[in-house]
Amino acid sequence: MDLRHQLELFPDCSVTLLLFNHVKNAAALRKKAMEGSIEGALINPAMIVDPFQILVAANKAVHLHKIGKMKTRTLYAEIIFSLSPNNNISDAFKKFGISDSDTAVLIVLIVDREKTVNLEDIASQVEGQQVSLDELPQLTDTAKVKKMYKVTPQEEKIGTLLDSIVCRMSTKDVL
Amino acid sequence: GISAPVVYFVDYVTNSIYLEDIVDSITVQDHINSVQQSGSDTSSLLILAEKMGELLARMHDEDLIHGDLTTSNILLRPPTEKLDLVLIDFGLSFISGLPEDKGVDLYVLEKAFLSTHPDTETVFKALLKAYAATSKKSGPVIKRLDEVRLRGRK
């Protein structure tokens, strides 16, 4: 039901993804996230095309966290920021974080390999149905994603949408 | 819009770049060698040459100079028959709109091509033809290529 993936470059870290649909308390969840009273990065699944996109963001966030060079204040905020193709933090939260009216939420957790994480505890705070990550493509708003990442039709002929997105995420500091 | 490995992660601490691994790919160099060794007619390489010409034309039209064009810096994604090309190794690349730089880029490839793969003059000719047909700015570039050849510059 959930996806737990170990980061190759940071083997003691594993990334867990939980997907929820028919969510009724997005506003409350967003508030909890802002207060820091819920564990995890709460992301709008409409902007995600593939779990790999999250792994790339998480990898970058963990790396920056380890060297003390994060641009945001918490690891989870950094993951959301890393998803963005630009360097505007509040824009990243607006576009990739959840909004009060959202009915689907993707929760990303980073756990130390030794520790077990209480997924039920987090899931119980969501008033919605936990679904398999296989349902993610159905929740993706491809048009919105292409617009956000400014993907050209020319590019789409050469590679996948995921390729274009990952490139922008990983090279935004250079451009 | 140029086919190259996807950049996954840039580590500024160790100055390393993590790129996509194109599994089971072969270099164009190895492909040409195997075609020649198997005794096949080089005419089967003409379509490959056309695709290479088109790819380089698009790259140069974006004013991107590769800087180290050789047949071992172009990969073929599996299955090989699809002729899905991927450019790699941009360590010497730079941006330039100058026909001189593009001409030299092609000249480097021509020298590498002809010295590594004997009897492939017709193949390279086909590459240049496709390049000229695809690129919007090929005229001055081909002209400079001719001049560079005469100068014998590396």
Side-chain angles (χ1 to χ4, degrees), chain B residues 49-95:
Chain B
E50 265 175 44
K51 293 229 170 236
M52 284 171 64
E54 284 165 16
L55 176 62
L56 296 177
R58 283 188 299 114
M59 185 184 74
H60 281 176
D61 279 0
E62 298 288 337
D63 290 347
L64 179 64
I65 311 298
H66 186 277
D68 189 16
L69 283 173
T70 67
T71 50
S72 48
N73 278 342
I74 307 179
L75 302 180
L76 280 157
R77 262 188 222 273
T80 317
E81 311 80 68
K82 265 187 96 183
L83 297 182
D84 193 358
L85 301 173
V86 185
L87 280 173
I88 60 168
D89 201 359
F90 289 86
L92 290 171
S93 63
F94 58 98
I95 306 282

Side-chain angles (χ1 to χ4, degrees), chain B residues 35 39-45:
Chain B
V35 167
S40 304
D41 201 9
T42 41
S43 57
S44 62
L45 294 174

Side-chain angles (χ1 to χ4, degrees), chain A residues 65-168:
Chain A
H65 177 71
K66 286 195 186 274
I67 61 173
K69 290 244 163 93
M70 290 198 299
K71 297 269 167 68
T72 62
R73 285 182 299 141
T74 70
L75 178 59
Y76 290 124
E78 194 72 19
I79 295 178
I80 298 183
F81 177 59
S82 300
L83 285 167
S84 173
N86 61 51
N87 288 305
N88 184 326
I89 300 179
S90 38
D91 184 62
F93 279 121
K94 247 197 301 189
K95 300 275 163 59
F96 294 91
I98 58 169
S99 353
D100 295 346
S101 56
D102 283 346
T103 55
V105 176
L106 177 64
I107 302 188
V108 181
L109 293 148
I110 306 250
V111 196
D112 243 338
R113 205 163 42 134
E114 321 276 275
K115 291 203 221 119
T116 42
V117 66
N118 193 338
L119 297 177
E120 288 81 42
D121 189 37
I122 299 169
S124 64
Q125 297 182 60
V126 180
E127 278 172 35
Q129 193 191 5
Q130 191 181 348
V131 297
S132 158
L133 268 140
D134 299 332
E135 293 196 26
L136 181 59
Q138 295 165 34
L139 297 169
T140 311
D141 185 339
T142 317
K144 214 164 151 202
V145 171
K146 286 186 194 171
K147 199 169 170 217
M148 180 73 201
Y149 288 102
K150 299 197 175 85
V151 181
T152 63
Q154 202 185 358
E155 262 181 278
E156 290 183 77
K157 276 193 263 175
I158 304 299
T160 65
L161 181 56
L162 179 61
D163 287 344
S164 308
I165 292 172
V166 169
C167 264
R168 281 162 175 73

Side-chain angles (χ1 to χ4, degrees), chain A residues 25-36:
Chain A
N25 64 335
L29 289 172
R30 190 170 81 87
K31 196 149 173 277
K32 284 191 182 188
M34 295 218 292
E35 288 166 2

